[in-house]
Structures are given as structure tokens and as C-alpha cells.
Amino acid sequence: MAYAALVSLENTIHRFLNSDLFSISVEEEQQITSLREYVTPIRDFLEVFPDESTSWDEQMRELANAAEDILDYLVLEKVYLPCEEESESHPSGNHRLHLTEVVEETIPKVETLVMFEEEYPDDARADGLNGRIMKMRTEFIDIYKFYDWEKTYRRFREKWRFFPAVCTKFKSKIQFIHHLNKTRNDIDSIMEKVVAIVNDSNRATSSPALAPVDDIVGFPQDDADASECHRSAKHELQLEKVMDEIALISAEVKNIKVCSSSKEVQRGADSSSLSSSSTAPPIHKNSLVGFEDHVMNIKDLLCGEQSKLQVIPVCGMGGIGKTTLARNAYDDQLIKEKFDIRVWITVSQDYSAQRILSGLLESLEEYNNQSGKEESADIKVYQILIGRKYLVVMDDIWRSEAWDIVRNVFPDNGDGSRIMLTTRLYDVASYPGPSITPYELGLLNEVQSWSLLKEKVFANQECPSDLENIGKDIARSCKGLPLAIAVIAGILSTVTKNPASWLEIAGTLKSAKTAEQEHIEEILSLSYVELPQLLRPCFLYMGSFPEDQEIYASKLIGLWIAEGFLKFPINTKTFEEVAEECLEELVKRNLVFVAKRKSDGRIKSCGLHDLIRELCIRKAQESKFFLNLVDEDIEKEKFMESIKNERRVSMSYLSLFSSYGGSTIHSIKCSKYNLVKLDFVEGVRLVRVLDAEPADVESLPSQLFDLFHLRYLAIRYHRNISSILSKLKNLQTLIIRAVKRSTDGFVISNDMMVPWCMQELRHVYFSGVIQFDDPGETCSLENLQTVSYVVSVCCSEQFLKKIPNLKKLKISCDDFYGGDQDCLNGLVHLHQLENLEVYSDGSVGLSYNLAFPEKLTRLTLRDLKLPWNDMIVVGSLPKLQVLKLKGCTCNGGTWETTEGTFPVLEVLLVERSRFENWITESGHFPRLRCLLLHSCRDLNEIPTDIGEIPTLQLIEVKGNVKESLLKSAEVIREEQEEMGNNTLQVVCIATSSTQQSYYYSDEVL
């Protein structure tokens, strides 16, 4: 993983040379610039010829990591050990003091002074100098110990966690060395007396005279060459050694003669940049090639005539398509109509009773009418399901104990309810009952394998005849495993579609190991080898997330950026845009699957297949990229040994860190809920990522804010955030969620003041209220893109112009914080804003001057008071795609839209909004895809013209609504079916007084 280390080092060099948080000398600038000149050609070489670095990849990775750590420590030294009186001591800046040399040369000469005192015990003059000599000796010995303690780079790194205390202890000694020139007069006066005593003695004993004073102290005799205050001599020497080794590799790279084929050149070009297409690929359902009969069989089992509750286990090897089969059946329109309730829960290897039951309950939340009752999760699930026909899918079960946890929460209503399980293990599949026969999935045959590969690579196009036989050989090599076929298809999709390229891949597959499981691993490994260099760290990093976890793209991208995997953009693109392209590329290669997409087609969340995740973990640990610790019972001693010299650690809990400071660690991620202390942070001075979002933090120690290099911080915390947040000058992403307690529920945080000095800040998520100081004449937060959420009183024109690149904003305009009728008017100055959510306690009336930026694509208004006429302003937004009106009290009982409004709106959600009549036409919402009406209890009906919108796919009515509203939705469905429109889904779930249920859709919008 040398490439990732080199990119990260380049980013560190860039920040070092361009930082305004500390000053650097001309010598330092020259040295670091020289380092960059060595590093960049090596990185460029790896992009074009990724397979030519095998012999020195590990060495290069270690050198790049070492150079980066030296720079990071040098930054800490500059930030926390400033030479306050440097300009006073050496105004010209032309002097240089080699501290280590001074100390090491001076200590033995001071010892000579001590020997002098011992040799003249009876001399009154020597006795008078005794105290001064001993004091000087003590000073120098302490200083020597300090420099000996940090003498080598590795020892310094290992003991850096004690550095603050040591700095305090030796502060006076450091200052003594820094300003040694000021003590020369005192030294001279001592030495004059010493020399006089010695000379007197010499005349009697002929002993040699002492060395001149300047030699003793270590100064050159020419004042013009006097030394400069220079703290970082050691770091420069260490960096110089590393640079020498990097230079050797750089020279080797320049001398490598590679006879590259046109394919290799093309691959290199693909590796250095990704597609810049702004249009997201279409969302395809999982391919059913080879699964058609299986889907029909499962549907027959689900819809069979047997009224008793049935368990339908599906089993087969990893990657064979169990989840794909279950998902296609689960999402089938017939199945949706047959079952009142459908629930999908993923169990995985790392499960617990609490997690399974709470997951079931959360999935059933909208059916739960027993709020306020203090009952256990299993009882609540049982009470919700009783009397209703339900389908529950429990995906990826590994142990029979998982079934024991839930077997009693599923009532047998005698109505044909079904439970479907997926598992790799036959014993687990047959465990629910002796009469159950698991549905086993077999491997694809050769014809099915080729059909699947052909569909994945060419979609609706024909396969060229000269590739067909080669393609069949490649498909045959995948041994009938759908996942392997999908992965190989991802590789074939990225290379030139000619026989030479395909023959090379076919040859690689044939050379793989013959054992079946090993062969599959070789195929999956090939997908990694074929990745461009810049995608490899991004891909491997996804293995640090827990198994089967839905990974939100915004979080993943923030972590990629904080880790330094992405090169500094050289054009107008942002880091986030480059990262999104990387993620889309991984999806195209079938290494990552999309869980949800946003309305504009961009990825909202994604995930990894279990076998792909195992590949990530295996490759990451082979290359010492990250360490994934899954053993919760590991002893602290073993833990300390296992993370020695690791840079990234992913684990379940943080408690083991309490006794150890891993000075090499740059990234710490925990995946499970636990109550933690962060007292270990003093020992991880170089950490860049601290992702403890699942964990509740008891307190924030002051040492946390000394993590100067911290870029990503995610925790759960419920107290006010200290004002010393401003010390985290490099922080890019700050996430502070509500504390989750098992007994008290969520505890909301209070306030947090964000300082204007945090220039690197990009995203802030806080469960409480974010406030900003008066901006005054301070500099702008140019990088800030997300704020969630801020009070409206802060949103003055002066404030908003200081955050010009904000893209996502949540804002509260409650009276408690001083909101008024004009509190949103200034938002028009946010020219880059795309996503806006506005909240209120319902007391603020926005009756005039409502204005939003024209680039807005998503708008949520919650609990606001506004007349329906103001919706004309909203409807005129030219790029608005998603509009959510939640609890808005709109004056007047009728919402009447006009021609030319909502030109590109795709999703409209109206929830708890009090209006009775809706007058509109299909042309007023020309691109509407989804209409969601939730708990609109006063609305009489949906205008029939809504059904005429050609793009409409879903009408969903649920909650406390009138019977007439439900009937109007049903009328639209019937009319559209008569006209041949079979794509429109109408979903109605009535609660409260109506208590009518049609069928439920779980479409994610």
C-alpha cells in the first residue's frame, strides 16, 4: 500500500508548506520541497505501472509513513514548543544553534569544572564557585537527559504520549538552551576565576591549562557564525535519513525501463483519473439470470394455501445469491399485496438479542400504536404482529441461537404469515423445526454463467463474436458462483473490449489455484489487483466497517478525506466530488453494492458482500493498512502487542485503549455501543480519525483538544462543548450525536460554539444547537459545506457571506433563540446551498420576504406558519427536486398551484399539514415521481389529475386520514390500470379512527 502512503505524505507536505499556523525556516522549506520532488515521481510511476513495485512496495510504504510521522511531530513541536523570544535573541535570523551538539559537547566540559572543584577542595576561591558550578551541571545534565530520551525517532514516537508532562518539567532547561547566549557573561565570569585558579596551580605543578571558554560552551569564536535557536535539528536529521532512502527508490524508478503494451498505457491513464460524468448510472434491480425458477418457487412457498405460520429457510454457499433471491421475492408486487406487514432484518455473525429485537421493533415502528407503554421489545413485537398477516425476512443467520431469540415473538395467526431465513449453514437452516426442508441454492451451470456475465458486461448490447468464446471460458472459470461472475464482469467492463485484453484476464484465471474455495478467493483477489491505485485504499478501508452494515456515503467520504487517501484536486472539483467518483467506480466494478440512492441518483448508502469484506480485511492486514480486531475478550497485553506499529485500528470497543497510547496510530474506529472514557487520547498524538460514533462519551478530557492533527471526530455526548474546540485547527468533520442510554433513551446535547479559526472545517453535525461568534472582520470558513443545525439568529447576511460554499444546512428559527419573521431572508446569499431544512416550534410566522437560493435541490419545512401563497416562492425554485412539508400550519384551507411551478420536483411529502382542498393539474408537477401524504387528516381528496403525470411511480397515503382521501387514491389507481399504466403503485396504510389497510410499500425515497 505504498501508493496510499505516498498520497497521504504528499497531502501532509502540502499542508506543511502552506500552513499559516506556524512558521518554517528557509532550510526546512528547502528540505521538505526536496522530499516532495522525490515522492511525486514515485507516486506517478505507481499510477501508471502498479505491478512494477512489488520488490520495494513495503519499504516505500514504511519510508513514506516514517517521513509523514516526522513531519507531524515537527508540527507538534512548532505548535506546542514555540521559541517565544527567538526574534529577540537573534533578530537577524542568521544564527544557528545545534542544540544536540551544544549539549553533548558542553556536558563533559562542565564535568571538568566539577572535577576542578574536587581537585581544589581547600581553595577558598574554588569553594565560592561550587554552588554556581553545581547548578550549571544540574541544568546541563537534565537537558542532556531530555535529548537522550528523544534521541532516536522511534523512541521519541513511543514516548510522545508523555511529552506534555516532560515539556513542563524541562521548560526551564529548554529555555536555558534556547537563550544560552544570554548566560555567556555569567559563564565567562566563572571561567575567568577558574582559569586564574588553575594557572596559579599550573605555575606550581606544570598542569595543562583548560580550553578556552567558547570551546567549553560550544559556541564558535566568531560571533558572525553564532548559532540560531533551532528546535528541530533532530527531526531534520531523521528526515534527511529517510529522504536519502526515498531518493534511492526514486532514482530506481527513473531507471526502470518498462516495455508497456498499449493496454498497460491505457490502464495507467485510467488509473490516474476517474470518469467525470455528472450523471449517475441507472438503478438496476439485481439480475435474475439463473434465478427465474428459484424466484417462482419461493413465491409459491410464500403465497401457498397453508394457513399456519411457516418458516422458509434458504441456504447455500457465500456469494451464491441467497440475499438476491430473498430480496427479489420480498420486493415482488404480488408479495406486497399479499402481506399486511413486511419486515427485513439482517442478523450477521456479530449479533445480540437486544440488537435483533430492537431492529425488529424499529422496522415495525409505524405499526406501533402503544406509545408510552413500558414493555420489553419482544412483547411489543408480538403485540404488533398478532392479528396481522406478515412476512419477516431474517437475512444472513449464522447460528441457531439467533432463531431461539426470536422464535416466540412471531405469533401464528392462522392467516398464512411467513418467515424466510437465509444462511450458509444447512444445520442452521433446518433448525427451526424437524419437518422443515431448507431450500438449497446450487451453482449456476455454464449456460447460466455465460448469460449472467454477458448481461453484466454488455447490458442490452450484443457481445462481439470475437469475444464470445473467450467470455465463455472466463464464465466457466468462475465455477458457477454469481458473486465471482459479477466481480469478473466488473473487471471486464473497465478494460478495452478486444480479444487481447480478455485473453489476458482469462489466462490469469486459469493460473489460479485449483481448489474450489481457493479458486474463488483468487478470482475475488484479481478484482483487487485490477483496481487503479487510487481506488485501492478507498476499497480496503470499507472493510473496517462492521459486517452487513449499511454505510452512508457522506460518512465514508468524510473518512476517506480525513485519512488522506485522495490527492488534492487540481481542478475545480472538491474532495467530496472526487470521492463520489471513486465510490461510483467501485460500484461499477461490482465490488460495492448500492443500498439507497438520492433523488438525483447519487449514492446515499452502500454496502459490501461478506466475501468482499473478507477480501478487504485480508488484503488490508497483509499490507499493514489497517488492523481489524473482532475478539472482544482479548487481554490488554495481547491488545497492546497486536496494535504495535499499526496505523489504523478498527475494533468493537474502546475500553482496551485506556491503558495504552499507540503512538503510531493515525485512525481509531469502534463499531459497538459502549460507555467510554477518552483518557487514552494523550497517547495517540498523531491520530487523525477518532470515530467513536456508536459510543457514549462520559467526558471530554482536555488532552482531546491537544490532538492537533485530528481531522475527523465522531462521538455521542450530551454536555456543552468546551470553547477550546478552537485548538483543533485541522478538524474537517465534527459529529456529536445525542447520547443513547439503555434506560433514559436519548439525551439531547446543549450548545456548541464553533470558532471562526477552524479553517479546515467541512462538516458539522451536532444534536444540540450550533452557534457562531460574531464574525466581525474574521476570515471566512471557505471549506464549510454542512452545518446541522444552527439557530436563525446567527443567520445574518454578514454571517452567511462568511460561509460561501455551504451546501447543506439545518436551521432552527424558534422564538427561544430570537427567531423572527425575517430570519430566513438572508439564505439567498448562500449561492452553493443545495439542501435546506428549517425547523420551528410553530410560533414563527413567515408571511413575507420568503427567499431561497436558486441552486436549492432539497427543501424541508417543519412546523412553520406560512400562507399557501408563499408556496409560489418555493415552487419557483428552478432546481428543486425534493420538497417535504412536515407539520406546517398553512393559513387558508386550500392549496392551489399554478402553471410553471415545481418544474423538476420529483418527490413531494406532505405530513401533518392542515389543509382541506388541493387544486392542481398534472402540468404543475411535470416530473413528479413520488407523492407521499402522511397524516393529512383534513385533506378531502387527491386531485384526479395527479394520476395523469407521466413520471409518477408511487402514491402513498398513510396515518390518520379521511376515508375520502383513501378512496380518491384508489380511484386514481383503478383509472390508471384501465389506461394500461401498470407502473403506478398506490399504497394506503390508514391508522387511528379509520383503521383500514390496503398494502404497504417500503420504497426508499
Side-chain angles (χ1 to χ4, degrees):
M1 196 52 66
Y3 180 85
L6 289 167
V7 171
S8 183
L9 175 57
E10 280 189 297
N11 290 343
T12 298
I13 291 173
H14 178 87
R15 289 188 170 92
F16 185 91
L17 294 176
N18 293 278
S19 177
D20 57 359
L21 300 176
F22 50 82
S23 61
I24 59 176
S25 67
V26 174
E27 292 86 352
E28 288 171 334
E29 182 177 8
Q30 291 173 344
Q31 187 180 34
I32 306 305
T33 301
S34 297
L35 175 61
R36 181 173 59 188
E37 291 171 354
Y38 290 135
V39 167
T40 301
I42 302 175
R43 189 259 301 154
D44 290 339
F45 174 84
L46 289 175
E47 286 181 351
V48 181
F49 305 109
D51 301 326
E52 297 295 329
S53 64
T54 308
S55 61
W56 46 264
D57 187 89
E58 182 178 352
Q59 180 190 8
M60 187 67 252
R61 182 196 72 222
E62 291 296 329
L63 289 172
N65 287 342
E68 186 172 45
D69 286 353
I70 293 171
L71 288 178
D72 284 348
Y73 278 123
L74 180 56
V75 169
L76 289 179
E77 188 176 86
K78 287 179 173 295
V79 171
Y80 291 111
L81 288 178
C83 187
E84 298 172 357
E85 301 180 28
E86 180 173 323
S87 59
E88 297 178 11
S89 302
H90 309 290
S92 67
N94 294 323
H95 304 297
R96 181 183 179 110
L97 174 62
H98 294 277
L99 301 184
T100 305
E101 293 177 12
V102 169
V103 174
E104 292 182 349
E105 291 176 7
T106 304
I107 285 291
K109 295 177 180 180
V110 173
E111 292 289 350
T112 302
L113 294 179
V114 176
M115 291 174 60
F116 151 78
E117 189 272 335
E118 293 175 352
E119 290 179 7
Y120 301 92
D122 301 325
D123 192 300
R125 293 174 299 173
D127 185 61
L129 296 176
N130 180 42
R132 296 172 68 184
I133 292 174
M134 291 305 296
K135 180 180 179 182
M136 185 179 297
R137 177 180 182 272
T138 303
E139 293 279 354
F140 275 111
I141 288 176
D142 283 346
I143 293 167
Y144 181 80
K145 286 180 179 178
F146 176 74
Y147 279 95
D148 183 61
W149 170 79
E150 68 149 352
K151 185 166 54 179
T152 64
Y153 167 71
R154 285 195 176 277
R155 290 180 59 194
F156 184 50
R157 280 202 312 183
E158 293 171 357
K159 300 197 176 187
W160 183 264
R161 58 190 172 125
F162 303 114
F163 192 65
V166 174
C167 285
T168 301
K169 178 179 178 182
F170 290 108
K171 183 176 180 181
S172 61
K173 285 74 178 179
I174 295 170
Q175 294 290 53
F176 179 81
I177 283 188
H178 285 172
H179 310 294
L180 198 55
N181 265 336
K182 293 182 177 181
T183 66
R184 292 182 68 183
N185 291 336
D186 186 39
I187 295 173
D188 286 344
S189 66
I190 295 176
M191 289 308 302
E192 286 174 1
K193 297 175 181 179
V194 168
V195 170
I197 296 171
V198 173
N199 288 340
D200 288 345
S201 176
N202 284 343
R203 282 190 287 267
T205 63
S206 299
S207 297
L210 289 179
V213 60
D214 286 327
D215 289 344
I216 294 178
V217 181
F219 287 107
Q221 296 195 33
D222 185 357
D223 283 344
D225 295 327
S227 303
E228 178 190 4
C229 171
H230 194 282
R231 296 181 302 270
S232 53
K234 177 190 69 66
H235 295 300
E236 289 185 4
L237 291 173
Q238 293 293 337
L239 191 59
E240 190 173 337
K241 293 177 182 177
V242 174
M243 284 178 61
D244 288 343
E245 296 187 53
I246 293 177
L248 291 175
I249 295 179
S250 183
E252 180 182 341
V253 165
K254 292 178 181 178
N255 293 327
I256 292 177
K257 305 298 182 182
V258 181
C259 298
S260 59
S261 65
S262 58
K263 173 181 177 298
E264 286 175 315
V265 174
Q266 178 62 42
R267 182 185 301 172
D270 294 341
S271 298
S272 61
S273 62
L274 299 175
S275 170
S276 59
S277 173
S278 59
T279 57
I283 304 174
H284 298 291
K285 289 188 176 180
N286 290 321
S287 175
L288 289 177
V289 174
F291 280 80
E292 300 89 344
D293 292 341
H294 291 307
V295 172
M296 292 302 300
N297 293 339
I298 292 296
K299 287 169 62 177
D300 288 343
L301 291 172
L302 293 175
C303 300
E305 295 182 357
Q306 184 170 335
S307 59
K308 290 184 63 177
L309 174 66
Q310 275 190 304
V311 179
I312 304 170
V314 178
C315 71
M317 68 181 294
I320 205 167
K322 301 181 294 297
T323 300
T324 299
L325 172 61
R327 177 58 72 177
N328 274 280
Y330 182 85
D331 288 336
D332 185 84
Q333 188 62 40
L334 175 63
I335 300 301
K336 292 179 180 179
E337 296 178 13
K338 284 285 185 180
F339 294 92
D340 302 326
I341 295 177
R342 294 178 308 124
V343 176
W344 182 289
I345 181 172
T346 302
V347 180
S348 74
Q349 297 183 69
D350 185 18
Y351 71 91
S352 68
Q354 187 272 336
R355 194 175 306 161
I356 293 176
L357 293 172
S358 63
L360 281 170
L361 187 58
E362 288 175 10
S363 300
L364 295 166
E365 189 62 35
E366 62 182 296
Y367 304 98
N368 185 11
N369 298 321
Q370 305 169 19
S371 57
K373 292 186 178 181
E374 295 295 331
E375 292 175 332
S376 60
D378 55 344
I379 293 176
K380 286 183 178 180
V381 171
Y382 183 89
Q383 291 175 341
I384 292 171
L385 295 178
I386 197 165
R388 288 169 163 164
K389 187 175 181 179
Y390 60 86
L391 168 63
V392 175
V393 177
M394 298 183 67
D395 185 37
D396 198 22
I397 294 183
W398 285 78
R399 297 179 184 175
S400 56
E401 289 82 0
W403 173 251
D404 290 333
I405 292 170
V406 298
R407 67 162 66 240
N408 293 323
V409 306
F410 300 128
D412 186 352
N413 299 319
D415 57 4
S417 293
R418 298 288 186 264
I419 301 168
M420 184 158 49
L421 315 177
T422 71
T423 179
R424 297 186 190 184
L425 308 174
Y426 189 89
D427 290 345
V428 174
S430 57
Y431 180 76
S435 61
I436 292 177
T437 302
Y439 190 94
E440 295 186 76
L441 279 182
L443 297 167
L444 302 180
N445 59 37
E446 291 187 8
V447 175
Q448 292 171 327
S449 296
W450 168 234
S451 297
L452 179 59
L453 182 68
K454 187 167 56 174
E455 180 184 288
K456 290 284 187 181
V457 176
F458 297 102
N460 299 322
Q461 301 176 355
E462 288 293 324
C463 171
S465 58
D466 57 347
L467 295 180
E468 187 163 340
N469 289 333
I470 307 172
K472 288 180 179 179
D473 285 342
I474 292 174
R476 193 178 300 113
S477 298
C478 293
K479 307 294 185 182
L481 188 67
L483 177 63
I485 294 171
V487 168
I488 291 299
I491 297 174
L492 294 173
S493 299
T494 63
V495 301
T496 307
K497 292 181 174 60
N498 60 40
S501 298
W502 281 40
L503 281 170
E504 182 177 344
I505 292 174
T508 303
L509 291 176
K510 288 180 179 179
S511 66
K513 300 173 184 177
T514 55
E516 185 173 295
Q517 189 59 40
E518 291 179 340
H519 183 77
I520 298 301
E521 290 180 4
E522 290 284 349
I523 292 175
L524 299 182
S525 295
L526 179 61
S527 65
Y528 172 74
V529 172
E530 291 293 321
L531 278 178
Q533 286 280 4
L534 77 165
L535 289 181
R536 292 183 184 182
C538 298
F539 171 60
L540 294 189
Y541 195 76
M542 297 183 73
S544 66
F545 287 86
E547 181 185 10
D548 294 322
Q549 177 172 314
E550 182 178 354
I551 305 171
Y552 282 90
S554 58
K555 181 182 182 70
L556 177 64
I557 287 171
L559 287 165
W560 281 352
I561 295 171
E563 293 281 6
F565 297 155
L566 307 174
K567 295 184 293 185
F568 268 90
I570 57 176
N571 48 29
T572 57
K573 291 180 181 178
T574 64
F575 271 119
E576 285 76 9
E577 290 168 340
V578 173
E580 284 191 26
E581 291 177 1
C582 290
L583 183 55
E584 287 286 3
E585 186 68 19
L586 290 173
V587 170
K588 291 177 185 177
R589 292 169 179 267
N590 293 316
L591 293 173
V592 176
F593 65 82
V594 177
K596 298 174 186 174
R597 283 193 183 270
K598 300 177 182 178
S599 60
D600 59 3
R602 292 157 59 197
I603 298 173
K604 183 176 183 179
S605 61
C606 58
L608 292 178
H609 188 281
D610 290 352
L611 291 182
I612 299 294
R613 179 175 176 270
E614 290 170 9
L615 169 68
C616 288
I617 293 173
R618 186 170 65 253
K619 291 293 184 182
Q621 295 185 178
E622 286 175 2
S623 60
K624 292 184 70 64
F625 182 67
F626 75 76
L627 177 64
N628 188 59
L629 294 173
V630 295
D631 188 356
E632 299 174 8
D633 299 323
I634 186 172
E635 297 177 359
K636 288 190 177 182
E637 291 76 10
K638 292 182 179 179
F639 167 77
M640 292 163 61
E641 183 63 27
S642 66
I643 68 171
K644 187 177 181 181
N645 297 324
E646 294 288 345
R647 294 184 81 77
R648 301 175 185 90
V649 178
S650 176
M651 56 196 305
S652 299
Y653 303 104
L654 291 179
S655 56
L656 293 174
F657 266 103
S658 61
S659 63
Y660 178 72
S663 58
T664 64
I665 292 178
H666 281 57
S667 177
I668 300 171
K669 294 174 85 257
C670 84
S671 58
K672 290 185 179 179
Y673 172 79
N674 57 123
L675 188 61
V676 301
K677 296 180 179 179
L678 297 179
D679 51 357
F680 63 86
V681 296
E682 186 177 358
V684 286
R685 302 286 299 194
L686 298 188
V687 73
R688 296 180 177 182
V689 170
L690 179 53
D691 182 10
E693 190 171 350
D696 286 351
V697 176
E698 291 182 326
S699 61
L700 300 181
S702 61
Q703 292 87 347
L704 174 68
F705 302 98
D706 289 330
L707 299 179
F708 184 78
H709 296 293
L710 190 64
R711 300 177 187 173
Y712 187 102
L713 175 62
I715 55 174
R716 292 185 179 275
Y717 187 68
H718 69 284
R719 298 185 178 91
N720 287 345
I721 305 301
S722 171
S723 60
I724 59 174
L725 184 68
S726 60
K727 295 178 68 177
L728 299 177
K729 293 290 196 301
N730 289 299
L731 197 65
Q732 298 172 351
T733 298
L734 175 61
I735 301 174
I736 301 180
R737 304 294 189 191
V739 171
K740 186 175 183 179
R741 305 282 194 227
S742 57
T743 56
D744 303 330
F746 284 95
V747 181
I748 303 300
S749 301
N750 293 316
D751 295 348
M752 178 175 69
M753 187 70 71
V754 175
W756 288 97
C757 62
M758 300 180 71
Q759 293 294 294
E760 298 296 323
L761 205 58
R762 307 179 77 86
H763 307 282
V764 184
Y765 302 89
F766 185 54
S767 58
V769 176
I770 299 171
Q771 299 191 54
F772 289 81
D773 290 326
D774 182 356
E777 299 300 322
T778 58
C779 52
S780 302
L781 295 179
E782 300 280 347
N783 293 312
L784 191 59
Q785 298 180 34
T786 304
V787 176
S788 174
Y789 65 93
V790 69
V791 291
S792 60
V793 71
C794 291
C795 295
S796 64
E797 178 179 346
Q798 181 188 22
F799 164 76
L800 295 175
K801 287 184 175 180
K802 295 286 187 180
I803 47 175
N805 296 312
L806 199 68
K807 293 186 176 182
K808 182 175 182 180
L809 173 64
K810 289 187 180 181
I811 181 172
S812 170
C813 48
D814 289 351
D815 285 343
F816 178 80
Y817 293 101
D820 57 35
Q821 293 182 336
D822 297 322
C823 62
L824 299 182
N825 297 347
L827 295 174
V828 72
H829 298 291
L830 295 175
H831 301 296
Q832 303 302 318
L833 192 65
E834 298 175 355
N835 189 334
L836 174 64
E837 298 187 31
V838 184
Y839 301 85
S840 171
D841 60 2
S843 62
V844 177
L846 302 175
S847 57
Y848 58 90
N849 294 332
L850 192 61
F852 299 111
E854 292 191 349
K855 202 171 182 180
L856 208 62
T857 60
R858 301 174 67 92
L859 175 62
T860 299
L861 303 177
R862 177 178 294 174
D863 298 322
L864 300 180
K865 291 180 180 178
L866 68 163
W868 282 114
N869 289 337
D870 279 356
M871 294 305 296
I872 297 175
V873 177
V874 176
S876 65
L877 292 171
K879 297 185 178 181
L880 189 65
Q881 297 177 1
V882 178
L883 174 62
K884 299 180 181 181
L885 304 172
K886 299 183 177 182
C888 292
T889 304
C890 300
N891 300 329
T894 300
W895 181 19
E896 184 173 0
T897 60
T898 58
E899 190 72 31
T901 56
F902 304 107
V904 297
L905 191 70
E906 296 185 5
V907 178
L908 173 61
L909 166 66
V910 184
E911 179 181 287
R912 297 181 290 109
S913 293
R914 307 294 295 272
F915 68 110
E916 299 175 3
N917 304 305
W918 186 12
I919 302 175
T920 191
E921 299 177 11
S922 60
H924 297 181
F925 298 93
R927 297 189 185 179
L928 192 66
R929 181 168 54 86
C930 301
L931 172 63
L932 313 173
L933 300 173
H934 296 172
S935 297
C936 295
R937 63 184 185 182
D938 295 329
L939 184 60
N940 293 316
E941 62 180 11
I942 304 172
T944 55
D945 227 30
I946 287 289
E948 302 298 322
I949 300 174
T951 56
L952 192 64
Q953 299 175 11
L954 173 68
I955 297 176
E956 181 178 275
V957 181
K958 70 177 185 179
N960 184 4
V961 296
K962 289 183 176 181
E963 179 74 21
S964 59
L965 183 62
L966 295 170
K967 290 183 177 179
S968 68
E970 185 62 22
V971 168
I972 291 175
R973 184 186 67 80
E974 292 173 354
E975 289 180 351
Q976 293 302 307
E977 283 185 353
E978 290 175 0
M979 297 172 62
N981 181 2
N982 297 318
T983 60
L984 177 62
Q985 295 184 51
V986 177
V987 179
C988 298
I989 307 170
T991 59
S992 189
S993 59
T994 53
Q995 287 297 326
Q996 293 189 18
S997 177
Y998 289 75
Y999 59 88
Y1000 169 68
S1001 171
D1002 72 334
E1003 294 291 334
V1004 179
L1005 304 174

